Amino acid sequence: MLKINTNSFDFKKELFFELKRDDIKENIIIDDILKISVTLTKEKESVVIAEGIISGNIKMDCSRCLEEFKYKIDNKFTVIYKEKKLMKKNDIETDIFPYENNIIDLFEYINQALIMEIPMKPLCSQDCAGLCPVCGENLNIKKCSCHIESVFNPFKDINIY
Ligand SMILES: [Zn+2]
Ligand SMILES: [Zn+2]
């Protein structure tokens, strides 16, 4: 899907890919498509540097109001690839990705980068008001009366006495 044959260019090559929803399993739901543009540069000793941008939207559920929203992805990346046979112990430690039989597969890296991108607690907006704990109303859309009471009268229960 995101495979590139290193024999297909001499020094530098620019490529464009599109990832569709079905291309990624995990928990990532692509909204329409993700665009990936990448420039590959050959260095000495079978090293290939991939520099690019992933852009598009993924769908997420807000952790406060539970509504679905679009999360914008616009990430630059740089990945270093090296022929597997020429890999040294140091290379593995410094995060250099291996490739075999002249084929660089960007998919593994892109997939990992997207998983890293997902926030632990996604929010539709920084000031999302969430749901009312009493009636479950989405407070971004409508203010309910029970919420106002519990916020503005924190001693409600004590006042009974
Ligand atoms: Zn929200
Ligand atoms: Zn309420």
Side-chain angles (χ1 to χ4, degrees):
M1 190 190 322
L2 300 181
K3 291 191 171 95
I4 302 142
N5 190 327
T6 58
N7 287 334
S8 67
F9 64 103
D10 289 329
F11 175 64
K12 218 181 206 11
K13 186 171 189 173
E14 200 177 356
L15 291 145
F16 297 95
F17 296 100
E18 286 182 354
L19 277 182
K20 294 182 187 69
R21 189 170 300 181
D22 295 341
D23 295 337
I24 291 198
K25 304 285 179 281
E26 312 291 338
N27 293 325
I28 299 157
I29 303 166
I30 297 172
D31 184 57
D32 198 18
I33 52 161
L34 280 182
K35 289 179 183 170
I36 296 155
S37 72
V38 61
T39 303
L40 298 176
T41 311
K42 282 186 182 173
E43 300 284 335
K44 56 181 192 301
E45 294 174 335
S46 295
V47 168
V48 178
I49 298 172
E51 288 172 289
I53 298 173
I54 318 172
S55 59
N57 291 306
I58 55 177
K59 284 185 181 179
M60 274 193 239
D61 291 330
C62 176
S63 61
R64 273 189 211 157
C65 69
L66 312 177
E67 291 292 323
E68 189 181 272
F69 69 100
K70 287 175 190 176
Y71 183 85
K72 194 171 161 35
I73 305 265
D74 195 11
N75 286 359
K76 283 187 183 168
F77 65 87
T78 304
V79 204
I80 301 167
Y81 288 92
K82 193 170 181 177
E83 170 64 53
K84 199 174 180 181
K85 285 175 217 145
L86 301 173
M87 291 277 281
K88 298 185 187 95
K89 198 165 170 268
N90 276 0
D91 293 337
I92 297 158
E93 284 159 10
T94 49
D95 266 354
I96 295 177
F97 282 61
Y99 70 89
E100 270 184 297
N101 307 320
N102 302 315
I103 301 292
I104 287 178
D105 190 351
L106 280 173
F107 185 77
E108 191 192 340
Y109 174 80
I110 300 287
N111 198 27
Q112 266 185 35
L114 288 173
I115 292 165
M116 298 287 284
E117 177 71 16
I118 295 175
M120 290 287 283
K121 291 197 167 182
L123 290 178
C124 62
S125 80
Q126 280 307 315
D127 47 292
C128 169
L131 300 177
C132 169
V134 181
C135 70
E137 184 72 58
N138 183 344
L139 302 170
N140 296 314
I141 299 167
K142 196 178 148 193
K143 296 265 177 284
C144 60
S145 49
C146 49
H147 180 72
I148 290 161
E149 249 181 67
S150 63
V151 166
F152 292 105
N153 189 1
F155 304 109
K156 191 180 69 174
D157 292 338
I158 295 162
N159 288 347
I160 295 166
Y161 299 104

